[in-house]
Each structure stands twice: as C-alpha cells, then as structure tokens.
Amino acid sequence: MSGPWAIGVDIGGTNLVAGTVPVAGGLPAAVRRTPTRPDRGGDSAVADVASIVESVIEETLENEGGSRDDIVGIGVGCPGPLNLDDGTILNPPNLDWSGYPIRDRIAEATGFDVTLDNDANCATYGEWWVGAGRGARSLVCITLGTGVGGGFIEDGRLMRGSTGNALEVGCTTIDVAGRPSRCGNKGCLEAYASGPSIAARAVEGIDAGADSVLPDLVHGDLEAITAATVSRALGAGDDFAAGVVEDTARFLGAGIANLVNLFNPERIVLVGGVTAVGDPLFVPLRAEVRRRAFDRAVDACSIVPGALPQTAGVIGAAGVFMSERER
C-alpha cells in the first residue's frame, strides 16, 4: 500500500477512532482508538483526536514510507445533529458538546484541512465505497451502537437534506406512547435498538423475574450487562437472551420497513456490534420487514450486515473528505 492518504476520524459515544485510508479507497494502513470521555468536553476530545491522528500518521509513514506531504487532510464523522455549514456539533443526545465548533478546532489542532459529517453518513459512505454496499445505486445504512443512526446514498451521492440532518433514523417514532428516548421523544427506534437500550430491556426482564444466565455472566452486577453480554448469553443457548434479540429484530424490522417504503433502496446495510449475532437477528428482522413493507420494494432490496467491522466510519469519513475535496 502506498500514499497518498486521507485521515478518517470516527467520533462515537464510546470511542474515538482514527485511521489512514488510501485516497483511492481500501482498508486503513493504520488504526488507533481511545475512549471518547464525553463528560470532559470538546476541547479534551479535540486533544485526543489530535493525538491519535499523529499516532496513525507516524505508524503509516514508518511502515509504508512517504512523508507528511502524502497526508491530504482529515474527514471527521460525529454524531448529529450538526451544522455542516459552520462545522459545529449542536445538541447530540449522547455527547454533551452543544454548540462546539469541532471541525475548526480539529483543523487548528492538527494543521490539516478538515471536513465534518454525521458519523452515520460516514459509515454509509464507507460501506458503499469499499464494503457491503459496493456497487449499489441506492443504499441505506443503519448504524447500531451507543445510538442508532442512518445514511442514504443515491447514485453515488449522500443525501443530507436541507440542513444536513437527513436519516436521523434513531429518532424516528415506532411507538407513539413508547419508551423514553435520550432525544426527549418517546418511542424512538433508538430507545429499543441501540446497544444500551438492548441492555436496558434485558435488565428489565431479569428484574421482572426472567430466568437467564445473564446475571451469572456479570457476577450478579446487572449494571454491567451490555448488548455484547446478551449476545454471549444467546451463544450459550439462553432462551431469554434469544427473546431479547428477537424483540430487537422486530423493532428494527418496523423501522426498516418504513425506510423501504420511503426510499425503495436496492440495499440496506446494518453495521455495529449488534449485527454480529447473525441469523438470530437477521432472519426475524427480514421477516418483519416483509410483513410490513410493499412486496415489490422488499423483493428489490437486500438487507445485509456490514463488511467493515470497526472501520466503516473511519473509511467513510476519509471518503467524504475526498468527495468534498474533488468538488
């Protein structure tokens, strides 16, 4: 692999991840991550971003050769809502950095040109560029992590909407009187299908008397249960965990059926650790979509897991930088 490279930075609710991505597309030459620590504020996050960016540059140049002149710039993906015109992060539910000018602060801290886009848009672009969405004319991507996000590509272009906040699928309502969501609404898809929400539903079931190996897996500390713990219990043959995953599939299926009817995409890609459970999630999810969406639209749409675990956002952020640079 040789340069030049763009740096992709994926700012999530749990981790900051940076990697050097060939401008022609491909897997990162180097990747580093660090905890996000959202309670420490934007300036601390920028310092962490600058540090891991420097680390991946050094590792890439040491292993691949070249010079810093081969680094063309940085693309940043960050949870929305965002103001893409002035590069600020507004009031994201999972980060307390409201009104923070993150794009320009990262540019100042690193000395590189920087673009900013929604983290789910970046994951979408990454999967479309080199992952499970490659070759699709119309693609919806859903990110399942600390929150739930989404992106939509039509004929090679990200559809961002009038204010850059299109496809905030996690904040779409699937139950008007449902669970409270961190955005202040009720019944949002994110309140049922994000990693923390899956864990919360599992804990509620155990508190209500469900028989499960989950408490044993966390030595009785129910607060330590995560979506990954539910996945481990599922792998151990736990019927309660299987029910939690099947319920998650139903909730996701309802939300995805809405997207199928709205956008009629050729492909829907799901990314994030939740998708690692495989068929126990995807089989009932696809059945729920078929039950709810128009037959012809469902027939034309494949629903698949992402092909870039841990790096879709990084690759996509670099790709978004390149696409904006070419304009």
Side-chain angles (χ1 to χ4, degrees):
M1 187 184 299
S2 60
W5 296 276
I7 307 293
V9 175
D10 183 12
I11 299 176
T14 303
N15 291 304
L16 304 173
V17 189
T20 44
V21 179
V23 298
L27 300 180
V31 176
R32 294 286 179 91
R33 69 184 62 241
T34 190
T36 303
R37 301 184 294 182
D39 57 315
R40 296 185 60 178
D43 286 344
S44 177
V46 167
D48 288 341
V49 167
S51 176
I52 61 172
V53 163
E54 191 60 32
S55 295
V56 295
I57 291 174
E58 290 177 1
E59 181 179 343
T60 300
L61 297 183
E62 180 180 344
N63 294 336
E64 307 292 338
S67 70
R68 292 181 72 87
D69 290 340
D70 292 316
I71 309 298
V72 300
I74 300 173
V76 176
C78 190
L82 308 171
N83 184 330
L84 298 182
D85 292 329
D86 64 12
T88 59
I89 182 169
L90 299 178
N91 55 337
N94 298 309
L95 296 172
D96 188 20
W97 303 340
S98 297
Y100 188 78
I102 195 162
R103 181 192 64 198
D104 292 348
R105 293 291 172 83
I106 291 175
E108 293 166 4
T110 62
F112 289 104
D113 292 337
V114 176
T115 59
L116 176 69
D117 210 328
N118 182 279
D119 59 343
N121 278 349
C122 292
T124 301
Y125 197 93
E127 289 288 351
W128 172 81
W129 194 21
V130 299
R134 192 169 186 175
R137 280 190 55 202
S138 58
L139 169 73
V140 168
C141 181
I142 298 174
T143 59
L144 305 170
T146 307
V148 175
F152 177 50
I153 286 180
E154 181 78 20
D155 291 329
R157 292 189 59 190
L158 276 166
M159 301 290 105
R160 296 183 174 90
S162 61
T163 63
N165 300 120
L167 262 288
E168 285 286 358
V169 64
C171 292
T172 57
T173 301
I174 61 170
D175 183 351
V176 294
R179 301 171 65 88
S181 180
R182 294 190 63 169
C183 69
N185 199 355
K186 285 187 176 181
C188 292
L189 181 60
E190 184 169 301
Y192 296 87
S194 71
S197 298
I198 293 168
R201 288 191 291 106
V203 171
E204 288 166 8
I206 293 167
D207 284 340
D211 182 24
S212 173
V213 301
L214 280 166
D216 294 335
L217 294 179
V218 293
H219 308 291
D221 181 9
L222 297 188
E223 291 185 0
I225 290 176
T226 65
T229 319
V230 175
S231 180
R232 285 173 57 203
L234 174 68
D238 187 87
D239 289 340
F240 172 70
V244 172
V245 172
E246 188 168 351
D247 285 344
T248 302
R250 282 194 307 107
F251 297 132
L252 278 170
I256 289 172
N258 291 333
L259 298 177
V260 170
N261 285 340
L262 282 168
F263 297 107
N264 192 199
E266 176 183 345
R267 202 169 306 166
I268 294 178
V269 178
L270 274 63
V271 303
V274 173
T275 66
V277 301
D279 283 350
L281 177 74
F282 279 90
V283 170
L285 186 158
R286 292 179 182 122
E288 189 72 16
V289 173
R290 179 161 293 281
R291 189 173 76 84
R292 291 177 176 272
F294 289 117
D295 287 345
R296 191 172 183 207
V298 175
D299 289 342
C301 179
S302 58
I303 302 173
V304 299
L308 305 170
Q310 310 299 320
T311 59
V314 166
I315 293 170
V320 168
F321 175 87
M322 294 306 304
S323 68
E324 293 298 310
R325 184 174 182 246
E326 288 169 1
R327 286 186 191 175

